[in-house]
Amino acid sequence: MLFNSLEYFLFLPIVFLIYWALNKSKASQNFLILVASYLFYAYWDWRFLSLIVISSFVDFIIGIQVDKTEKHSSKKMLVAISLFVNLGFLFVFKYYNFFVESFVSMFSNMGLELNARTLHVILPVGISFYTFQTLSYTLDIYYGRMKPTKKIIDFFAYVSFFPQLVAGPIERASNLLPQFEVTRIFTFERGRDGMRQILWGLFKKVVIADNCAIFVDAIYADHAGLGGPILFLAAILFVIQVYCDFAGYSDIAIGSARLLGFDLMQNFNNPYFSTNSTEFWRRWHISMSTWFRDYVFNPITMSLRQFRAKAVYISTLITFTLIGIWHGANWTYVIFGFLQSIALIIEIYNRKSRKKFKKSLSVGQTKLYEFGSWFLLMSFWTYLCIIFRSSTFSSSLTFVKNMFQRPTLEFIPTLQSLGLSSKLLLLIFIVSIVLFVVERINKKFLHGLERMPKNPIIRYPIYLVLYFFVIQYLYGEKSFIYFQF
């Protein structure tokens, strides 16, 4: 069930009304969330519900046992079982075919032919997200950061909570699970803010991301025969699309949860206004980057601490390569993560010299330096997004080569030959500028509409304009990019 579908527009109000009618019993509310979440997920394919149920049951039992067990080796064994079950599902459904095909191709290039079988399976929606969510529960208990719950309905509802089930934010049990254990109280202010954030998310997704996709899909499908200006356009539009698509999803998820009395973590914080990669990854997909920081980067760094600075470099390389693989079973994602790790290692290496250089600059020079840093970061991110969007790495190289080697092909005639509207393109850039300006102004708030003018004569027309745009461009129920991860 897509957030931008008629089904969800009916599903959410029904759940909302029944949920708050049960406000005298939080146990009944939690059970309703569990049932609603399973229905929400079953709308895609009910067969894959079994994976969520198994993962939930395994980690529920293991969490209790880890807390009871005093022997450290036994705790490690229990955690290993959790890792085996959860990552095993992830490997079989998402990565098995990728690794088999890669090994076959590698040996074929060496002149050796292997006969290996691949699995004819489809990727369960959201498996990367809820797998990490259940793992964080077991690992936090193992590290002593929290106590396990003995309320199975609460835990199953936490794992499958429908607003963030299929594409995050990846919530920690320490934040979300306690919210199932307390009484939620509905207030008009929270409900209003939830609706505002949903509207803002739909505006990002439906008006900006989906219209960017029209251009990006058409140009990428035929990019080998196109020239520089049109390819530059596609690259820039995909940078806008991937942000508005995923940040839009996060806004709708957070807003939907708020309607039910839950607070999910902020997942994006003006990442495109960062001036270096380190800052960027503190602002982009925050729930994922902090998950990898706490459960991958920090443990590896601690285990290699005898190597001092080299430990950080090695941890960064491993962590961001894994982040790339997390995004999908394709070498483009591996290279995406690897190149990002190299950029971060370079930043870490010259951090002190950069700070020293910046202190030596005047105020005007500092502004110029920050602009240059921003431009360099966004140019690099645009290149990474080309790799991210391409079907193969060689295809991304062809794309970049043609951007610079074919600068003379006419722009407007090329748009027309692809059936693309220059008027729609102008609209995309206008509303994108409005979006980024509003979010920049409201950078201290959770979303662009959290701080609205108090005067209803100004406030309600803004809502109506956004609503009009959403309805105007709500066509095709286009899926979210991160559903494939």
Side-chain angles (χ1 to χ4, degrees):
M1 191 181 302
L2 297 174
F3 281 168
N4 53 328
S5 68
L6 176 61
E7 291 85 353
Y8 189 73
F9 295 154
L10 296 174
F11 172 82
L12 182 60
I14 291 171
V15 172
F16 174 83
L17 292 173
I18 298 174
Y19 177 84
W20 288 113
L22 300 171
N23 65 336
K24 293 182 180 179
S25 171
K26 70 171 183 280
S28 299
Q29 287 181 321
N30 293 347
F31 183 73
L32 173 67
I33 287 176
L34 178 61
V35 172
S37 298
Y38 281 178
L39 288 173
F40 176 84
Y41 193 82
Y43 189 83
W44 279 288
D45 196 323
W46 61 269
R47 295 171 297 177
F48 291 125
L49 270 177
S50 60
L51 300 181
I52 299 178
V53 173
I54 293 171
S55 291
S56 301
F57 183 76
V58 167
D59 284 297
F60 178 75
I61 298 299
I62 287 179
I64 294 173
Q65 294 303 314
V66 167
D67 186 60
K68 284 183 178 179
T69 304
E70 295 183 1
K71 197 174 180 181
H72 189 65
S73 59
S74 298
K75 288 179 181 284
K76 279 189 172 182
M77 180 61 68
L78 289 167
V79 172
I81 294 171
S82 174
L83 291 170
F84 177 79
V85 172
N86 288 290
L87 297 181
F89 283 151
L90 192 61
F91 176 81
V92 169
F93 284 94
K94 189 169 183 177
Y95 299 109
Y96 176 80
N97 288 348
F98 168 68
F99 283 107
V100 168
E101 291 168 358
S102 296
F103 274 113
V104 169
S105 177
M106 180 180 68
F107 280 100
S108 177
N109 292 333
M110 296 167 58
L112 299 173
E113 296 298 327
L114 297 181
N115 292 320
R117 292 184 178 180
T118 56
L119 301 176
H120 298 285
V121 295
I122 60 175
L123 179 65
V125 174
I127 188 171
S128 297
F129 290 89
Y130 67 74
T131 296
F132 276 25
Q133 192 151 303
T134 57
L135 280 177
S136 72
Y137 172 76
T138 305
L139 291 170
D140 281 349
I141 294 171
Y142 173 74
Y143 288 123
R145 296 169 184 161
M146 65 175 295
K147 288 288 185 180
T149 181
K150 295 183 180 179
K151 298 178 180 179
I152 192 167
I153 297 298
D154 291 6
F155 181 73
F156 276 49
Y158 149 73
V159 174
S160 61
F161 190 42
F162 72 85
Q164 46 83 234
L165 173 60
V166 295
I170 304 171
E171 279 292 341
R172 309 292 180 85
S174 56
N175 174 52
L176 183 55
L177 188 54
Q179 297 183 56
F180 283 93
E181 298 171 349
V182 298
T183 301
R184 277 84 64 183
I185 300 174
F186 178 78
T187 64
F188 175 76
E189 290 74 18
R190 286 179 61 86
R192 179 179 61 187
D193 191 58
M195 291 299 295
R196 283 176 177 171
Q197 193 158 5
I198 291 172
L199 178 60
W200 191 240
L202 285 171
F203 179 74
K204 288 180 183 176
K205 164 63 178 171
V206 173
V207 180
I208 302 179
D210 287 353
N211 281 316
C212 284
I214 294 173
F215 289 82
V216 172
D217 293 347
I219 295 170
Y220 267 85
D222 192 33
H223 71 84
L226 299 177
I230 203 76
L231 296 181
F232 269 106
L233 172 67
I236 293 169
L237 287 179
F238 184 68
V239 167
I240 298 172
Q241 179 195 352
V242 73
Y243 168 74
C244 290
D245 192 282
F246 195 22
Y249 179 93
S250 295
D251 279 334
I252 300 169
I254 295 168
S256 297
R258 190 162 295 146
L259 289 178
L260 301 177
F262 292 86
D263 290 317
L264 301 183
M265 69 179 297
Q266 185 179 14
N267 213 19
F268 290 87
N269 182 19
N270 290 280
Y272 286 173
F273 290 94
S274 306
T275 56
N276 57 68
S277 293
T278 304
E279 181 186 4
F280 180 89
W281 283 99
R282 288 174 182 157
R283 296 168 170 233
W284 176 274
H285 200 349
I286 300 168
S287 64
M288 181 204 66
S289 59
T290 54
W291 195 99
F292 274 96
R293 179 198 66 196
D294 294 342
Y295 300 111
V296 179
F297 178 83
N298 287 343
I300 294 175
T301 303
M302 287 300 296
S303 66
L304 299 175
R305 58 185 177 274
Q306 67 270 24
F307 297 106
R308 298 183 181 181
K310 291 180 181 177
V312 177
Y313 303 152
I314 294 169
S315 300
T316 301
L317 181 65
I318 294 173
T319 300
F320 275 87
T321 301
L322 288 175
I323 285 176
I325 295 173
W326 177 87
H327 280 86
N330 193 315
W331 283 107
T332 55
Y333 299 126
V334 178
I335 296 168
F336 166 85
F338 175 77
L339 292 177
Q340 184 63 79
S341 72
I342 298 301
L344 284 162
I345 290 170
I346 293 172
E347 283 188 6
I348 295 169
Y349 179 77
N350 63 24
R351 180 181 297 162
K352 290 183 179 178
S353 59
R354 285 188 290 112
K355 284 184 177 180
K356 185 177 180 180
F357 176 74
K358 189 175 179 180
K359 284 182 179 179
S360 68
L361 300 176
S362 64
V363 175
Q365 290 173 330
T366 299
K367 294 293 183 183
L368 185 62
Y369 173 80
E370 289 177 348
F371 175 79
S373 299
W374 171 84
F375 183 80
L376 183 63
L377 169 69
M378 292 309 300
S379 298
F380 180 63
W381 176 249
T382 301
Y383 173 64
L384 291 181
C385 284
I386 292 171
I387 298 173
F388 188 93
R389 178 60 177 77
S390 300
S391 56
T392 64
F393 183 60
S394 61
S395 176
S396 72
L397 294 178
T398 301
F399 189 101
V400 174
K401 181 184 73 173
N402 288 345
M403 285 174 65
F404 296 98
Q405 291 187 354
R406 294 181 177 177
T408 58
L409 296 181
E410 296 184 12
F411 183 77
I412 298 299
T414 305
L415 279 181
Q416 293 173 343
S417 68
L418 294 171
L420 301 173
S421 168
S422 55
K423 292 182 179 179
L424 180 59
L425 178 62
L426 179 61
L427 172 69
I428 290 171
F429 278 111
I430 291 173
V431 294
S432 297
I433 291 170
V434 170
L435 175 95
F436 288 116
V437 168
V438 169
E439 294 204 333
R440 183 60 175 174
I441 292 172
N442 292 282
K443 62 182 179 180
K444 294 182 180 179
F445 297 88
L446 294 177
H447 60 90
L449 296 184
E450 185 172 353
R451 185 180 66 172
M452 289 289 289
K454 293 183 179 180
N455 190 336
I457 297 177
I458 301 174
R459 184 171 70 249
Y460 287 109
I462 293 174
Y463 294 151
L464 288 174
V465 169
L466 293 174
Y467 179 78
F468 170 79
F469 272 107
V470 169
I471 295 301
Q472 178 72 21
Y473 292 101
L474 189 63
Y475 47 75
E477 295 181 7
K478 292 185 179 179
S479 184
F480 292 82
I481 292 174
Y482 269 69
F483 274 19
Q484 62 184 306
F485 307 136

